[in-house]
Amino acid sequence: SAIANGKPDAARDAYAKMAKSDESGASLAVTGLADLALAEGRAAEAVALLEAGIKADRAANNLSGVQVKEIALADALGMQGDVKAAVAAARRALALDKTEAQILPAVRWLIAANQLDAAEQLGAALDQSLEERTRAYGRIVAAQVALARGKRVEAVDAMRSALKLAD
């Protein structure tokens, strides 16, 4: 909430306290500090924080921490213009878990790298869910892929389908 309220120093203080609490708090603090660095346009600092955090989380066998940090790392690397490395980080996150929390940000980098078939397959996996909200996300992915392929009508139809599922 401190970040949302424009108080980055208060956020840094909260993350510093969190880091001292326990292993889980330290992992969350790294993610928070990296997120703050990204919000402030300091992608290189975020990359350094996330890479160190991933290493620590792997050593602690904290795979959920690794997943979250790999997706954030993809965004940080992408902000630096390294789409290839962003895709690699996103793929590492997907190797651990293929839920919508990993798929949606990963698709962005797959599309940026023109790996449209891979993005489409991830969207299709979401389309197979029983949950309407998850299927709506699958349709959003389909729309993004169609748009990247220059198929505007197909993109609009997929978005309309997503809206129907979400309503």
Side-chain angles (χ1 to χ4, degrees), residues 2-3 7-19 29 32-33 36-37 39-40 42 45:
I3 296 171
K7 298 179 181 178
D9 291 335
R12 278 185 200 82
D13 291 344
Y15 292 134
K17 289 177 187 173
M18 185 184 297
L33 289 169
L36 180 59
E40 294 178 335
R42 295 178 284 112
E45 181 181 330

PDB file of all heavy atoms in Angstrom, residues 2-3 7-19 29 32-33 36-37 39-40 42 45:
ATOM      1  N   ALA A   2       2.075   1.142   0.570  1.00  0.00           N
ATOM      2  CA  ALA A   2       2.965   2.311   0.592  1.00  0.00           C
ATOM      3  C   ALA A   2       3.355   2.711  -0.826  1.00  0.00           C
ATOM      4  O   ALA A   2       3.410   3.900  -1.155  1.00  0.00           O
ATOM      5  CB  ALA A   2       4.203   2.022   1.430  1.00  0.00           C
ATOM      6  N   ILE A   3       3.610   1.723  -1.681  1.00  0.00           N
ATOM      7  CA  ILE A   3       3.965   2.019  -3.075  1.00  0.00           C
ATOM      8  C   ILE A   3       2.794   2.698  -3.768  1.00  0.00           C
ATOM      9  O   ILE A   3       2.962   3.713  -4.450  1.00  0.00           O
ATOM     10  CB  ILE A   3       4.386   0.744  -3.830  1.00  0.00           C
ATOM     11  CG1 ILE A   3       5.669   0.160  -3.216  1.00  0.00           C
ATOM     12  CG2 ILE A   3       4.596   1.024  -5.309  1.00  0.00           C
ATOM     13  CD1 ILE A   3       6.027  -1.206  -3.743  1.00  0.00           C
ATOM     14  N   LYS A   7       4.728   6.286  -1.500  1.00  0.00           N
ATOM     15  CA  LYS A   7       5.684   6.357  -0.389  1.00  0.00           C
ATOM     16  C   LYS A   7       6.702   5.218  -0.509  1.00  0.00           C
ATOM     17  O   LYS A   7       6.677   4.266   0.273  1.00  0.00           O
ATOM     18  CB  LYS A   7       4.945   6.284   0.943  1.00  0.00           C
ATOM     19  CG  LYS A   7       3.984   7.438   1.153  1.00  0.00           C
ATOM     20  CD  LYS A   7       3.247   7.323   2.459  1.00  0.00           C
ATOM     21  CE  LYS A   7       2.284   8.481   2.614  1.00  0.00           C
ATOM     22  NZ  LYS A   7       1.520   8.373   3.856  1.00  0.00           N
ATOM     23  N   PRO A   8       7.612   5.309  -1.482  1.00  0.00           N
ATOM     24  CA  PRO A   8       8.561   4.216  -1.694  1.00  0.00           C
ATOM     25  C   PRO A   8       9.490   3.970  -0.508  1.00  0.00           C
ATOM     26  O   PRO A   8       9.875   2.832  -0.246  1.00  0.00           O
ATOM     27  CB  PRO A   8       9.335   4.645  -2.941  1.00  0.00           C
ATOM     28  CG  PRO A   8       9.152   6.120  -3.026  1.00  0.00           C
ATOM     29  CD  PRO A   8       7.810   6.405  -2.420  1.00  0.00           C
ATOM     30  N   ASP A   9       9.843   5.012   0.223  1.00  0.00           N
ATOM     31  CA  ASP A   9      10.720   4.815   1.385  1.00  0.00           C
ATOM     32  C   ASP A   9      10.026   4.004   2.470  1.00  0.00           C
ATOM     33  O   ASP A   9      10.661   3.155   3.115  1.00  0.00           O
ATOM     34  CB  ASP A   9      11.195   6.162   1.935  1.00  0.00           C
ATOM     35  CG  ASP A   9      12.159   6.868   0.996  1.00  0.00           C
ATOM     36  OD1 ASP A   9      12.816   6.170   0.190  1.00  0.00           O
ATOM     37  OD2 ASP A   9      12.254   8.110   1.050  1.00  0.00           O
ATOM     38  N   ALA A  10       8.744   4.228   2.653  1.00  0.00           N
ATOM     39  CA  ALA A  10       7.985   3.438   3.629  1.00  0.00           C
ATOM     40  C   ALA A  10       7.928   1.972   3.176  1.00  0.00           C
ATOM     41  O   ALA A  10       8.018   1.061   4.003  1.00  0.00           O
ATOM     42  CB  ALA A  10       6.582   3.997   3.793  1.00  0.00           C
ATOM     43  N   ALA A  11       7.802   1.752   1.877  1.00  0.00           N
ATOM     44  CA  ALA A  11       7.792   0.388   1.349  1.00  0.00           C
ATOM     45  C   ALA A  11       9.143  -0.275   1.600  1.00  0.00           C
ATOM     46  O   ALA A  11       9.201  -1.430   2.030  1.00  0.00           O
ATOM     47  CB  ALA A  11       7.473   0.398  -0.147  1.00  0.00           C
ATOM     48  N   ARG A  12      10.231   0.457   1.338  1.00  0.00           N
ATOM     49  CA  ARG A  12      11.569  -0.103   1.586  1.00  0.00           C
ATOM     50  C   ARG A  12      11.737  -0.488   3.054  1.00  0.00           C
ATOM     51  O   ARG A  12      12.287  -1.546   3.367  1.00  0.00           O
ATOM     52  CB  ARG A  12      12.654   0.904   1.190  1.00  0.00           C
ATOM     53  CG  ARG A  12      12.961   0.923  -0.266  1.00  0.00           C
ATOM     54  CD  ARG A  12      14.146   1.864  -0.580  1.00  0.00           C
ATOM     55  NE  ARG A  12      14.125   2.225  -1.970  1.00  0.00           N
ATOM     56  CZ  ARG A  12      13.384   3.183  -2.519  1.00  0.00           C
ATOM     57  NH1 ARG A  12      12.592   3.919  -1.774  1.00  0.00           N
ATOM     58  NH2 ARG A  12      13.427   3.412  -3.805  1.00  0.00           N
ATOM     59  N   ASP A  13      11.254   0.367   3.947  1.00  0.00           N
ATOM     60  CA  ASP A  13      11.347   0.067   5.384  1.00  0.00           C
ATOM     61  C   ASP A  13      10.547  -1.188   5.737  1.00  0.00           C
ATOM     62  O   ASP A  13      11.011  -2.029   6.508  1.00  0.00           O
ATOM     63  CB  ASP A  13      10.836   1.257   6.212  1.00  0.00           C
ATOM     64  CG  ASP A  13      11.755   2.471   6.145  1.00  0.00           C
ATOM     65  OD1 ASP A  13      12.928   2.318   5.725  1.00  0.00           O
ATOM     66  OD2 ASP A  13      11.290   3.580   6.498  1.00  0.00           O
ATOM     67  N   ALA A  14       9.361  -1.301   5.167  1.00  0.00           N
ATOM     68  CA  ALA A  14       8.523  -2.483   5.437  1.00  0.00           C
ATOM     69  C   ALA A  14       9.207  -3.746   4.923  1.00  0.00           C
ATOM     70  O   ALA A  14       9.217  -4.781   5.602  1.00  0.00           O
ATOM     71  CB  ALA A  14       7.147  -2.307   4.785  1.00  0.00           C
ATOM     72  N   TYR A  15       9.808  -3.662   3.730  1.00  0.00           N
ATOM     73  CA  TYR A  15      10.498  -4.837   3.179  1.00  0.00           C
ATOM     74  C   TYR A  15      11.735  -5.176   4.008  1.00  0.00           C
ATOM     75  O   TYR A  15      12.053  -6.357   4.183  1.00  0.00           O
ATOM     76  CB  TYR A  15      10.875  -4.608   1.718  1.00  0.00           C
ATOM     77  CG  TYR A  15       9.680  -4.545   0.794  1.00  0.00           C
ATOM     78  CD1 TYR A  15       9.567  -3.549  -0.162  1.00  0.00           C
ATOM     79  CD2 TYR A  15       8.662  -5.495   0.866  1.00  0.00           C
ATOM     80  CE1 TYR A  15       8.475  -3.495  -1.018  1.00  0.00           C
ATOM     81  CE2 TYR A  15       7.567  -5.441   0.021  1.00  0.00           C
ATOM     82  CZ  TYR A  15       7.479  -4.442  -0.922  1.00  0.00           C
ATOM     83  OH  TYR A  15       6.405  -4.388  -1.768  1.00  0.00           O
ATOM     84  N   ALA A  16      12.419  -4.178   4.537  1.00  0.00           N
ATOM     85  CA  ALA A  16      13.596  -4.430   5.377  1.00  0.00           C
ATOM     86  C   ALA A  16      13.185  -5.188   6.643  1.00  0.00           C
ATOM     87  O   ALA A  16      13.862  -6.136   7.059  1.00  0.00           O
ATOM     88  CB  ALA A  16      14.289  -3.129   5.730  1.00  0.00           C
ATOM     89  N   LYS A  17      12.068  -4.785   7.246  1.00  0.00           N
ATOM     90  CA  LYS A  17      11.561  -5.493   8.431  1.00  0.00           C
ATOM     91  C   LYS A  17      11.130  -6.908   8.069  1.00  0.00           C
ATOM     92  O   LYS A  17      11.392  -7.857   8.809  1.00  0.00           O
ATOM     93  CB  LYS A  17      10.388  -4.717   9.036  1.00  0.00           C
ATOM     94  CG  LYS A  17      10.792  -3.438   9.717  1.00  0.00           C
ATOM     95  CD  LYS A  17       9.588  -2.680  10.233  1.00  0.00           C
ATOM     96  CE  LYS A  17      10.004  -1.324  10.769  1.00  0.00           C
ATOM     97  NZ  LYS A  17       8.848  -0.490  11.121  1.00  0.00           N
ATOM     98  N   MET A  18      10.467  -7.032   6.926  1.00  0.00           N
ATOM     99  CA  MET A  18      10.007  -8.339   6.478  1.00  0.00           C
ATOM    100  C   MET A  18      11.195  -9.281   6.268  1.00  0.00           C
ATOM    101  O   MET A  18      11.133 -10.456   6.625  1.00  0.00           O
ATOM    102  CB  MET A  18       9.228  -8.177   5.163  1.00  0.00           C
ATOM    103  CG  MET A  18       8.591  -9.435   4.659  1.00  0.00           C
ATOM    104  SD  MET A  18       7.789  -9.203   3.051  1.00  0.00           S
ATOM    105  CE  MET A  18       6.536  -8.010   3.448  1.00  0.00           C
ATOM    106  N   ALA A  19      12.266  -8.777   5.699  1.00  0.00           N
ATOM    107  CA  ALA A  19      13.444  -9.589   5.400  1.00  0.00           C
ATOM    108  C   ALA A  19      14.057 -10.185   6.659  1.00  0.00           C
ATOM    109  O   ALA A  19      14.660 -11.256   6.612  1.00  0.00           O
ATOM    110  CB  ALA A  19      14.479  -8.762   4.650  1.00  0.00           C
ATOM    111  N   ALA A  29      10.419 -10.203   0.679  1.00  0.00           N
ATOM    112  CA  ALA A  29      11.033  -8.875   0.677  1.00  0.00           C
ATOM    113  C   ALA A  29      11.832  -8.637  -0.599  1.00  0.00           C
ATOM    114  O   ALA A  29      11.791  -7.545  -1.175  1.00  0.00           O
ATOM    115  CB  ALA A  29      11.915  -8.705   1.910  1.00  0.00           C
ATOM    116  N   GLY A  32       9.424  -7.901  -3.335  1.00  0.00           N
ATOM    117  CA  GLY A  32       8.881  -6.556  -3.158  1.00  0.00           C
ATOM    118  C   GLY A  32       9.874  -5.472  -3.547  1.00  0.00           C
ATOM    119  O   GLY A  32       9.514  -4.495  -4.214  1.00  0.00           O
ATOM    120  N   LEU A  33      11.120  -5.635  -3.123  1.00  0.00           N
ATOM    121  CA  LEU A  33      12.146  -4.649  -3.471  1.00  0.00           C
ATOM    122  C   LEU A  33      12.402  -4.617  -4.979  1.00  0.00           C
ATOM    123  O   LEU A  33      12.610  -3.544  -5.565  1.00  0.00           O
ATOM    124  CB  LEU A  33      13.444  -4.933  -2.711  1.00  0.00           C
ATOM    125  CG  LEU A  33      13.396  -4.639  -1.212  1.00  0.00           C
ATOM    126  CD1 LEU A  33      14.627  -5.205  -0.520  1.00  0.00           C
ATOM    127  CD2 LEU A  33      13.266  -3.140  -0.969  1.00  0.00           C
ATOM    128  N   LEU A  36       9.524  -2.799  -6.556  1.00  0.00           N
ATOM    129  CA  LEU A  36       9.703  -1.362  -6.342  1.00  0.00           C
ATOM    130  C   LEU A  36      10.737  -0.800  -7.315  1.00  0.00           C
ATOM    131  O   LEU A  36      10.529   0.251  -7.923  1.00  0.00           O
ATOM    132  CB  LEU A  36      10.123  -1.088  -4.894  1.00  0.00           C
ATOM    133  CG  LEU A  36      10.360   0.369  -4.509  1.00  0.00           C
ATOM    134  CD1 LEU A  36       9.113   1.210  -4.740  1.00  0.00           C
ATOM    135  CD2 LEU A  36      10.799   0.458  -3.053  1.00  0.00           C
ATOM    136  N   ALA A  37      11.835  -1.521  -7.487  1.00  0.00           N
ATOM    137  CA  ALA A  37      12.867  -1.081  -8.438  1.00  0.00           C
ATOM    138  C   ALA A  37      12.300  -0.999  -9.852  1.00  0.00           C
ATOM    139  O   ALA A  37      12.565  -0.031 -10.585  1.00  0.00           O
ATOM    140  CB  ALA A  37      14.072  -2.022  -8.391  1.00  0.00           C
ATOM    141  N   ALA A  39       9.132  -0.534 -10.667  1.00  0.00           N
ATOM    142  CA  ALA A  39       8.185   0.592 -10.696  1.00  0.00           C
ATOM    143  C   ALA A  39       8.914   1.924 -10.836  1.00  0.00           C
ATOM    144  O   ALA A  39       8.375   2.865 -11.419  1.00  0.00           O
ATOM    145  CB  ALA A  39       7.318   0.584  -9.435  1.00  0.00           C
ATOM    146  N   GLU A  40      10.121   1.983 -10.317  1.00  0.00           N
ATOM    147  CA  GLU A  40      10.910   3.220 -10.378  1.00  0.00           C
ATOM    148  C   GLU A  40      11.846   3.239 -11.588  1.00  0.00           C
ATOM    149  O   GLU A  40      12.655   4.148 -11.722  1.00  0.00           O
ATOM    150  CB  GLU A  40      11.709   3.390  -9.085  1.00  0.00           C
ATOM    151  CG  GLU A  40      10.817   3.611  -7.876  1.00  0.00           C
ATOM    152  CD  GLU A  40      11.569   3.744  -6.565  1.00  0.00           C
ATOM    153  OE1 GLU A  40      12.701   3.221  -6.439  1.00  0.00           O
ATOM    154  OE2 GLU A  40      11.023   4.391  -5.655  1.00  0.00           O
ATOM    155  N   ARG A  42      14.243   1.040 -12.440  1.00  0.00           N
ATOM    156  CA  ARG A  42      15.602   0.552 -12.189  1.00  0.00           C
ATOM    157  C   ARG A  42      15.663  -0.947 -12.454  1.00  0.00           C
ATOM    158  O   ARG A  42      15.783  -1.766 -11.566  1.00  0.00           O
ATOM    159  CB  ARG A  42      16.013   0.888 -10.755  1.00  0.00           C
ATOM    160  CG  ARG A  42      16.109   2.404 -10.503  1.00  0.00           C
ATOM    161  CD  ARG A  42      16.478   2.784  -9.068  1.00  0.00           C
ATOM    162  NE  ARG A  42      15.308   2.614  -8.187  1.00  0.00           N
ATOM    163  CZ  ARG A  42      15.216   1.699  -7.231  1.00  0.00           C
ATOM    164  NH1 ARG A  42      16.198   0.865  -6.976  1.00  0.00           N
ATOM    165  NH2 ARG A  42      14.123   1.609  -6.488  1.00  0.00           N
ATOM    166  N   GLU A  45      18.800  -3.050 -11.308  1.00  0.00           N
ATOM    167  CA  GLU A  45      18.781  -3.366  -9.873  1.00  0.00           C
ATOM    168  C   GLU A  45      17.800  -4.502  -9.592  1.00  0.00           C
ATOM    169  O   GLU A  45      18.086  -5.409  -8.809  1.00  0.00           O
ATOM    170  CB  GLU A  45      18.381  -2.128  -9.065  1.00  0.00           C
ATOM    171  CG  GLU A  45      18.356  -2.366  -7.568  1.00  0.00           C
ATOM    172  CD  GLU A  45      17.938  -1.121  -6.794  1.00  0.00           C
ATOM    173  OE1 GLU A  45      18.194   0.006  -7.250  1.00  0.00           O
ATOM    174  OE2 GLU A  45      17.366  -1.302  -5.694  1.00  0.00           O
TER     175      GLU A  45
END
